[in-house]
Amino acid sequence: MVSRPAMSPVSPVWPRKPNLWAFWVLRLVLLLSLKSWAEDALQHCTWLLVLNKFEKVGLHLSKDRFQDHEPIDTVAKVFQKLTDSPIDPSENYLSFPYYLQINFSCPGQNIEELARKGHLMGMKPMVQINYMYSVNFYRWEMENVQILMEAAPMRSTGYCPAEAMCVLNWYTPMPFKNGSVVSSVDIYTNGIGPFVSKKRFYVNMNGFLKRDASGKSLFAIGYESLVLKSSHFRLSKSRPLWYTVNHAPVFILGGFYDEKSILFSDSNFQDYVLLELSIDSCWVGSFYCPILGFSATIHDAIATESTLFIRQNQLVYYFTGTYITLFDKSHGSSRWVRVLPSECIKRLCPVYASGNGSEYVLALTTGKNEGYIHIGTITDGLVSFEMVPDGWSVCEKLPGKNCSIDWATYIADERNLLLLVKIDSGQFYLVNFNTEFKTLNILYKIPEFIPEAKELDFLVLLDTVTYTNTPMTPKGLFFNTLNNMLYIWGNFILQSYNREEFIFLADFPKESTIKYMVNSFKGQMAVVTENEEIWYFLEGGYDVYQVVPSQGWETYHNLQKMQKSSFHSEDESLVSLFFEDGKLFQLVYLFDVGKERLVKRLLPVGTLMEYNLPKPFTVVNQGNYQAISFTHTCPFKEIHLIDVPKKHHASRTESYVALPPLVSESLGFHNNNTLAVYQGLVYYLLWLHSKYDKPYADPVHDPTWRWWQHKTKDKDYFFYLFSNRLAAEGIYINMNAYQKLYNMSGDYGIPDLFFLDKGNWFTITVVLLSHQDTFTSSDSQGPTINVDKKLAIAVTIADPECLSVTVTQDVLLNRNAVINKIKVIDKKRCSEQGMIGRNIKKTSMMLKVLGAPGNCIQRTYLGGIIQGFKVVPIFIGCPPGKRLAFDVSYTIMHSEEINKHYFDCVIKDAEMPCFLFRDLFQPFFLVQDLVTGDSGSFLGSYVLKVVGGGRTLNTIRDYTEEEIFRYNSPLDT
C-alpha cells in the first residue's frame, strides 16, 4: 500500500492539529475489511477469458474462434486523425483481427459488481502472451518471443440504466506471429485491488474451420453436435490424449462407443465441441485383414502441429489444417484423406517429440504385412508414409516363424525405432531398428513372469532374480527424449537408462494392468489402469504412489463436495488424463441429474500425497507430563534457490512491452477508436521485431529505435496537449510504453528451460535449511560430522558425454544451513557450428534432495507442491536470439578512411549501402544478442565469397558454380 500525505491549504500555518487517532482507526478498519475480503476470496477468484472479433468488441457475451490468421486494414482511418501524436502519418498501420476479453469471478459474488470494484480500486489485468516456435526450423527460425500488455477497461455496448457504468470488461489485442500457432496467455493483476491468482490460458489458432456462403464459421472436419449426451461416457472408458508436446494447437479425443465422433478443443480443453466426422466409413474386409466386425468408433486420435490422424477399424485418415502462418494455404485439406488404403492397420502410435524439422506418426500393420511398420512424416502439412524395413521383415530376425509388433516409438534425433515384438511362442522382445543404417538389434528379452520383490522398492533384473508365477503382460513402450528413460509397461513397470539393463518398480501391483501412460516431460509420470486407477511417480526414483483411489483422494474429494465445488460429483467418469505445464489434469464427465457436464479439473497430486503421508510421532516425558513429539518426514525445513540465471535469458526469450494509450475519459474507459489505436501500435511493434531479423546491423541495437527516433524530443509537448485535453481524439501515446525489455523485473525462480551454446555454462545455488535436530547427533549436543549426508543433494545429467557438473557444498553450522553450488558446463562434444535451432541436442538435469521426493510437500493457497525434486530441460547448440550481423556503419567509416573517399549508390538506401568495386573493401561484423541486448565485434576468421548479384536490386540472383569461381578468382579483373 502506498500512503500519500493529505492535501493541505496553501498557507504557511497549519490550521489545526489533525485528529490522527481517528485517521488510524479508519485506516485499521479499512485494512481489516480488505483483509477479510481477500482471505475469503483468495483461493476461489479466477480469471475469465474469451476471444472477440475486431468488429464485436464491446459485446459482453460475444465469443469467437481463432479462425482468421491474417492482419486486417481497419485502423488506418483512426491513425490519420492522430495529428498531435508521435505517429508518423506516412506509415501504414494494420491490426490483428481479434481482441482478448478479460474479466474475473468469485463464488457467490456478482461479476459486474466485482469488475466495477476492481476498476475503481485501480486494478489492471496484466496479460503476457508467449509464442511457441514452429517444429520446422528449416522454414521458420527458432525464436522464443513474448509480449506483455496491460488490459484496457471498456464498458459494454447496449442499453445500460446506470449513469456511470454497467457491464465492464478489459480488453487487449490478440497478436499472432508467423511461424507460431500455439500461444499461451498468462493473466495476473498489477498488485492493486482484489487479488486474483495468476492463470494461464491457451489461445491457439484453429485451422480446421471454414466459412459457408453466408460467412458463418463451420468445422471442416465434421458436424458440430450441440448436445453432449451422458450415454457417450457411460459406455466408454478413459483413453489417452495423444499430441505433439508443446506444438499441437488443437486436441482431439475419440473412443466414443460405436460413434464416429471426437471431442475437439483449441484451448487445451478449457472449452470443447463434439464433432461427428465426415468420413466415408468404408470398411473393406479381406482374407489378409483379420478383423472380426465393423465398428464406427474412432480410435487412436493423434494431433500434430498442423495435421490430425484417426483410425477407424483398419482404415487410417488424416486432415491437414489451413495454417498460413506456417505454410502455403494450398497445403491444407478440404476433406479427410485416407492413407495406406491397401494395408490393414491395427494401431497408430504417437511420437510425442518432433525432430529434424518434422513430426511423426507410426502405423502398425497386421495381416499380409505383419512384421513391418509404416513411419508417417509430417513436414509443412505434407504427409508421407514409408514402410520399414525395406525388403525384409522384423520377424525374419527373431526366433520362430511369426511375430507381431504390439507397440512402437520413434526417436527422431537418433533415427531409432524401438519395437515391442511378440513371437509365436508368446515371448516378448525389445527390438531396435535404425532407419538410417537399416540395422536391427535385439536389445532385451523381456522376462516371462513378474519378478519376486517382497519388501523392496525396486529390483535390478539380473540372472540371479527369482520370479513369481504371474505372467508378464507387456502392453506398450514409452521413451523420454530429455532423460533417455525407457519404460516397458503392462501389469508391471520396467525402466531403463540405457535400453539394455532394466529396473523393476516393485510398488506397482501385478494385479493391475496399465491402460496408458502420460508424461509431463518435467520429471513426472502418471499411469491409468484398466480399472481407472491413477498411479503417479517421479522419474529417476523408484517409488510409485496410488493417488486415485486413495485415502488422500477420498479426503480431498469429500472436502470439495462439502464446499459444493462444481468440479466434483458423487457420480462421475474419467474421460482422459494429461499433463499441462507440469500439472496433472483430469477430463471428467459429471452425471449430476439435470446438470450433466464435461469438466477439466486439476488433480492436486501434492495435496493428495500430503493427505496420504504418515504422521509419525513419539510420546516423551517432560517432568510430570507426557507430550507428543512429531517426527519430520521431510529432511529439510526450507529450500531456496539463489544466484539463478534470469528466466528469459536462460530460455532465450525476447520480451516486449506494450501498454494501452492514455485516454482523457473521466473514468479511464476506452472506446472502439482507442482500442483500435492499441491494436495498431501492438501490430507495428511486432512488425518491427520481424523486420529486425536481417543480416546487417542498425546503428542502434534495438528493433524499436527507428520508431520514435525523430519524435522523442517532443514527448513533453505531446503530454502537455493531452493533460490539457487538447490532444486529438483524447489519446496520449507514451513512446516509452512500446519497447523491448532486456532485464525484466520479477524474473525469479529456476528457468523452465536452459539453452547452452557450445562451451557455455550456468550455475545454480541451492540452500537447504535444516530442522533444529539435523545438526546434532542423538548422543551429543555438538555438531555431527554427518551433516552432508542428512542434507544431501543429487544432480543427475541425462547425457554425461555432453555435459559435466560439479557440486560444491558449504555447511553453515550457525545458520543450520547447507549451501550447494551447482555448475553445469558443456563439454563441446555434442554440438557443432550451425544455424540457430538446428542440430539441437535435447537433454536434461535432475536435482533431487535425498529423502525428499514424496515426503516434502509445501502448503500454498493453491494447494500442495512437491518439493526437493526438479527436472530442467537443457538444449545444447546454437541458441535462439543470437546473430552475426554486417556492421554497416563502421564498415562505411572504415572504407572512407582507407580509401579517402566513399561512393554510395546513386539512389541511396540506408539499409543497403553500396561500395565501389575498385576500392579496398574490408567488412566488419558484430555478434549481437537479441535477448540481453549485448553487441560486440566479431573477432574470428572468415572467408568472404561472392555468391550472387545483378545489375539492379530487382535482378539479383544466385550465381552458378562457374560464375562463383569466376567472381572469386584472384585472376579475375
Side-chain angles (χ1 to χ4, degrees):
M1 176 177 290
V2 179
S3 178
R4 296 182 174 86
M7 295 181 64
S8 60
V10 184
S11 168
V13 181
W14 190 268
R16 64 187 179 88
K17 185 177 180 180
N19 198 348
L20 293 180
W21 68 269
F23 167 76
W24 286 111
V25 169
L26 177 61
R27 186 178 182 185
L28 180 61
V29 170
L30 289 173
L31 286 174
L32 289 176
S33 62
L34 286 174
K35 179 181 178 183
S36 62
W37 183 89
E39 287 177 349
D40 181 61
L42 189 62
Q43 299 184 16
H44 305 288
C45 293
T46 184
W47 292 107
L48 305 174
L49 177 73
V50 295
L51 194 69
N52 282 172
K53 294 192 68 174
F54 188 93
E55 58 271 17
K56 293 184 179 180
V57 65
L59 299 179
H60 180 56
L61 300 178
S62 175
K63 181 179 179 181
D64 297 286
R65 296 193 180 277
F66 208 151
Q67 179 179 2
D68 298 324
H69 305 160
E70 291 182 290
I72 54 179
D73 186 7
T74 56
V75 299
K77 293 182 179 180
V78 180
F79 274 85
Q80 290 173 2
K81 300 177 182 179
L82 303 181
T83 54
D84 299 322
S85 71
I87 296 300
D88 186 354
S90 63
E91 291 287 350
N92 182 25
Y93 284 85
L94 301 178
S95 69
F96 298 101
Y98 296 101
Y99 287 94
L100 295 175
Q101 184 189 102
I102 301 164
N103 216 311
F104 70 99
S105 66
C106 303
Q109 300 190 49
N110 184 275
I111 294 180
E112 298 179 13
E113 293 180 0
L114 288 172
R116 290 196 292 267
K117 180 189 295 184
H119 174 66
L120 295 176
M121 293 177 68
M123 185 184 79
K124 296 179 180 179
M126 305 302 296
V127 179
Q128 180 175 287
I129 301 179
N130 310 282
Y131 300 98
M132 175 56 63
Y133 54 85
S134 173
V135 164
N136 189 358
F137 48 73
Y138 295 107
R139 184 181 181 92
W140 300 104
E141 185 177 279
M142 179 188 289
E143 63 174 0
N144 294 318
V145 179
Q146 65 183 23
I147 181 170
L148 176 64
M149 296 179 290
E150 180 186 285
M154 180 179 176
R155 285 174 290 198
S156 297
T157 58
Y159 172 74
C160 179
E163 294 182 1
M165 60 178 121
C166 199
V167 179
L168 166 69
N169 292 291
W170 288 268
Y171 292 89
T172 68
M174 179 56 212
F176 49 81
K177 62 181 292 293
N178 285 331
S180 178
V181 293
V182 176
S183 304
S184 62
V185 180
D186 297 328
I187 306 179
Y188 56 95
T189 70
N190 60 342
I192 302 175
F195 175 79
V196 187
S197 58
K198 184 176 181 179
K199 186 175 181 179
R200 169 166 289 188
F201 297 85
Y202 280 88
V203 184
N204 302 328
M205 290 184 172
N206 190 337
F208 302 93
L209 295 169
K210 62 181 181 180
R211 297 191 188 278
D212 61 11
S214 64
K216 181 181 178 181
S217 292
L218 301 174
F219 279 92
I221 60 176
Y223 307 99
E224 182 176 354
S225 175
L226 300 179
V227 180
L228 197 63
K229 301 177 181 178
S230 59
S231 59
H232 289 143
F233 303 94
R234 288 287 188 189
L235 302 176
S236 304
K237 298 294 185 179
S238 73
R239 50 275 199 193
L241 188 64
W242 287 343
Y243 55 93
T244 304
V245 176
N246 297 329
H247 292 282
V250 302
F251 290 169
I252 57 174
L253 191 65
F256 293 101
Y257 178 72
D258 207 23
E259 294 193 28
K260 55 177 183 179
S261 300
I262 62 170
L263 283 174
F264 180 99
S265 175
D266 55 12
S267 59
N268 288 27
F269 280 106
Q270 195 69 30
D271 58 10
Y272 56 87
V273 294
L274 180 68
L275 298 178
E276 181 181 348
L277 300 185
S278 52
I279 56 177
D280 51 24
S281 300
C282 179
W283 178 67
V284 180
S286 62
F287 70 95
Y288 64 83
C289 195
I291 294 181
L292 299 179
F294 171 82
S295 172
T297 306
I298 301 297
H299 298 284
D300 305 338
I302 302 175
T304 68
E305 186 179 49
S306 61
T307 307
L308 307 179
F309 291 86
I310 61 169
R311 178 180 66 86
Q312 186 188 49
N313 300 308
Q314 85 281 18
L315 308 179
V316 176
Y317 301 84
Y318 77 86
F319 195 107
T320 298
T322 303
Y323 289 104
I324 59 176
T325 59
L326 293 181
F327 44 74
D328 189 80
K329 187 176 182 179
S330 62
H331 293 189
S333 303
S334 59
R335 57 180 178 81
W336 285 96
V337 180
R338 183 178 169 187
V339 290
L340 306 174
S342 61
E343 296 292 335
C344 185
I345 304 302
K346 64 180 179 181
R347 172 172 291 158
L348 294 180
C349 292
V351 179
Y352 299 99
S354 61
N356 308 312
S358 299
E359 298 168 283
Y360 304 91
V361 64
L362 307 176
L364 308 186
T365 64
T366 186
K368 65 176 182 178
N369 283 328
E370 189 80 68
Y372 294 87
I373 188 169
H374 294 269
I375 302 178
T377 303
I378 308 99
T379 307
D380 281 346
L382 301 178
V383 179
S384 62
F385 277 88
E386 176 190 8
M387 188 172 74
V388 295
D390 185 14
W392 51 274
S393 167
V394 171
C395 302
E396 298 176 15
K397 307 295 182 179
L398 296 175
K401 296 181 180 180
N402 301 313
C403 76
S404 171
I405 301 176
D406 286 2
W407 199 274
T409 185
Y410 187 52
I411 311 172
D413 293 334
E414 301 178 6
R415 292 178 172 82
N416 281 327
L417 193 61
L418 298 180
L419 308 175
L420 179 63
V421 185
K422 179 183 179 181
I423 62 175
D424 46 13
S425 66
Q427 177 65 54
F428 283 88
Y429 290 90
L430 176 65
V431 176
N432 181 87
F433 176 76
N434 186 274
T435 59
E436 182 178 7
F437 301 105
K438 313 300 180 184
T439 57
L440 186 141
N441 298 310
I442 299 177
L443 299 180
Y444 186 65
K445 180 180 179 181
I446 300 175
E448 297 183 21
F449 298 97
I450 299 289
E452 184 70 54
K454 289 184 178 180
E455 300 181 358
L456 295 176
D457 292 331
F458 68 95
L459 181 66
V460 180
L461 298 184
L462 303 174
D463 294 338
T464 57
V465 172
T466 58
Y467 294 89
T468 65
N469 295 324
T470 305
M472 265 193 172
T473 310
K475 294 290 186 179
L477 304 174
F478 188 92
F479 183 80
N480 189 340
T481 56
L482 294 178
N483 57 16
N484 300 321
M485 196 81 75
L486 173 65
Y487 296 92
I488 306 176
W489 49 267
N491 58 342
F492 60 92
I493 301 176
L494 298 182
Q495 71 175 15
S496 173
Y497 292 89
N498 59 7
R499 308 171 209 174
E500 294 181 357
E501 285 86 22
F502 282 83
I503 297 173
F504 173 71
L505 303 186
D507 285 347
F508 186 79
K510 60 181 181 295
E511 294 79 16
S512 298
T513 301
I514 296 174
K515 181 163 50 175
Y516 59 91
M517 179 177 284
V518 293
N519 192 309
S520 68
F521 292 92
K522 294 186 177 181
Q524 307 163 78
M525 295 283 291
V527 299
V528 178
T529 68
E530 297 287 352
N531 297 325
E532 308 295 1
E533 301 169 347
I534 299 177
W535 294 72
Y536 175 91
F537 63 97
L538 300 174
E539 293 190 272
Y542 311 109
D543 297 316
V544 185
Y545 309 94
Q546 183 176 357
V547 292
V548 178
S550 66
Q551 182 60 46
W553 168 252
E554 291 298 324
T555 302
Y556 174 78
H557 187 55
N558 290 331
L559 287 173
Q560 294 300 310
K561 289 187 293 184
M562 289 173 60
Q563 296 175 6
K564 298 182 179 179
S565 170
S566 60
F567 294 95
H568 292 259
S569 172
E570 292 285 353
D571 188 8
E572 59 184 41
S573 175
L574 178 66
V575 179
S576 190
L577 187 76
F578 61 96
F579 280 99
E580 179 185 301
D581 298 319
K583 298 178 181 178
L584 189 58
F585 285 89
Q586 293 175 300
L587 202 60
V588 181
Y589 192 83
L590 308 181
F591 296 98
D592 292 337
V593 178
K595 297 181 180 180
E596 295 88 351
R597 61 201 180 277
L598 181 68
V599 299
K600 171 189 174 183
R601 72 185 183 197
L602 177 69
L603 184 62
V605 177
T607 300
L608 303 185
M609 294 178 66
E610 181 184 13
Y611 291 162
N612 283 331
L613 279 176
K615 307 298 187 292
F617 66 91
T618 57
V619 179
V620 296
N621 295 320
Q622 294 183 353
N624 298 328
Y625 302 95
Q626 288 185 331
I628 297 177
S629 175
F630 289 92
T631 304
H632 300 294
T633 59
C634 183
F636 56 84
K637 182 179 180 181
E638 295 179 21
I639 183 171
H640 300 280
L641 296 171
I642 61 176
D643 300 333
V644 180
K646 291 187 176 181
K647 283 187 174 182
H648 77 291
H649 287 181
S651 61
R652 308 297 303 164
T653 301
E654 299 181 58
S655 303
Y656 291 87
V657 62
L659 305 181
L662 298 180
V663 294
S664 56
E665 206 271 346
S666 59
L667 292 177
F669 289 115
H670 285 249
N671 55 43
N672 293 68
N673 287 341
T674 59
L675 287 180
V677 172
Y678 196 12
Q679 276 273 11
L681 294 173
V682 171
Y683 176 87
Y684 198 82
L685 178 65
L686 291 181
W687 178 79
L688 290 173
H689 163 78
S690 62
K691 186 181 178 183
Y692 199 65
D693 184 16
K694 53 191 178 182
Y696 51 88
D698 282 340
V700 179
H701 180 38
D702 190 283
T704 64
W705 79 277
R706 292 184 185 272
W707 197 358
W708 316 112
Q709 60 174 329
H710 301 303
K711 297 295 183 73
T712 52
K713 63 181 184 299
D714 301 323
K715 62 179 181 180
D716 293 334
Y717 170 70
F718 296 135
F719 184 74
Y720 167 80
L721 293 177
F722 172 76
S723 60
N724 288 276
R725 298 181 179 272
L726 300 175
E729 300 298 314
I731 294 177
Y732 171 67
I733 299 174
N734 183 2
M735 291 175 276
N736 294 327
Y738 303 89
Q739 60 181 333
K740 191 170 187 177
L741 301 178
Y742 297 105
N743 291 287
M744 297 181 63
S745 60
D747 192 16
Y748 53 86
I750 189 168
D752 295 326
L753 171 66
F754 278 95
F755 275 95
L756 270 186
D757 204 348
K758 187 175 183 179
N760 282 9
W761 53 271
F762 66 87
T763 60
I764 296 175
T765 301
V766 182
V767 180
L768 298 174
L769 302 181
S770 74
H771 302 289
Q772 293 181 356
D773 57 350
T774 303
F775 279 57
T776 57
S777 60
S778 58
D779 57 350
S780 172
Q781 297 300 319
T784 178
I785 61 174
N786 294 322
V787 172
D788 56 340
K789 295 182 179 179
K790 292 186 176 181
L791 288 178
I793 187 170
V795 182
T796 304
I797 296 296
D799 293 279
E801 68 277 8
C802 302
L803 300 172
S804 66
V805 60
T806 58
V807 181
T808 304
Q809 187 182 75
D810 293 327
V811 180
L812 303 181
L813 295 177
N814 58 336
R815 301 280 183 91
N816 281 359
V818 176
I819 300 178
N820 300 275
K821 297 180 179 179
I822 303 168
K823 185 174 184 179
V824 180
I825 308 173
D826 174 47
K827 291 184 176 181
K828 304 181 181 180
R829 296 177 183 175
C830 298
S831 62
E832 299 178 356
Q833 185 176 2
M835 301 294 290
I836 289 176
R838 302 188 186 183
N839 302 319
I840 293 288
K841 172 64 178 178
K842 299 176 182 178
T843 183
S844 65
M845 171 187 67
M846 182 181 68
L847 305 177
K848 183 167 65 173
V849 179
L850 181 65
N855 295 318
C856 298
I857 310 296
Q858 180 188 16
R859 292 184 181 180
T860 70
Y861 66 91
L862 294 176
I865 298 176
I866 299 175
Q867 286 192 307
F869 178 86
K870 184 71 175 179
V871 172
V872 182
I874 301 174
F875 287 6
I876 306 172
C878 187
K882 283 193 174 183
R883 68 174 185 174
L884 182 67
F886 175 41
D887 191 350
V888 178
S889 302
Y890 188 76
T891 301
I892 292 176
M893 184 177 63
H894 183 72
S895 179
E896 187 174 1
E897 180 180 344
I898 61 176
N899 296 305
K900 306 306 179 184
H901 61 261
Y902 171 67
F903 296 102
D904 203 346
C905 306
V906 177
I907 302 176
K908 296 183 179 181
D909 185 351
E911 297 192 353
M912 188 172 290
C914 294
F915 296 90
L916 188 62
F917 69 96
R918 292 192 182 95
D919 289 345
L920 182 62
F921 179 59
Q922 295 180 351
F924 291 85
F925 299 90
L926 295 173
V927 177
Q928 296 185 324
D929 194 320
L930 305 179
V931 175
T932 65
D934 296 334
S935 181
S937 299
F938 172 70
L939 303 177
S941 59
Y942 62 89
V943 175
L944 191 65
K945 182 182 291 187
V946 178
V947 296
R951 291 185 177 274
T952 64
L953 181 63
N954 295 328
T955 60
I956 292 178
R957 63 176 177 84
D958 294 333
Y959 287 152
T960 63
E961 293 185 5
E962 293 78 9
E963 289 175 317
I964 293 175
F965 177 79
R966 173 191 168 192
Y967 287 116
N968 293 280
S969 173
L971 302 178
D972 181 51
T973 58

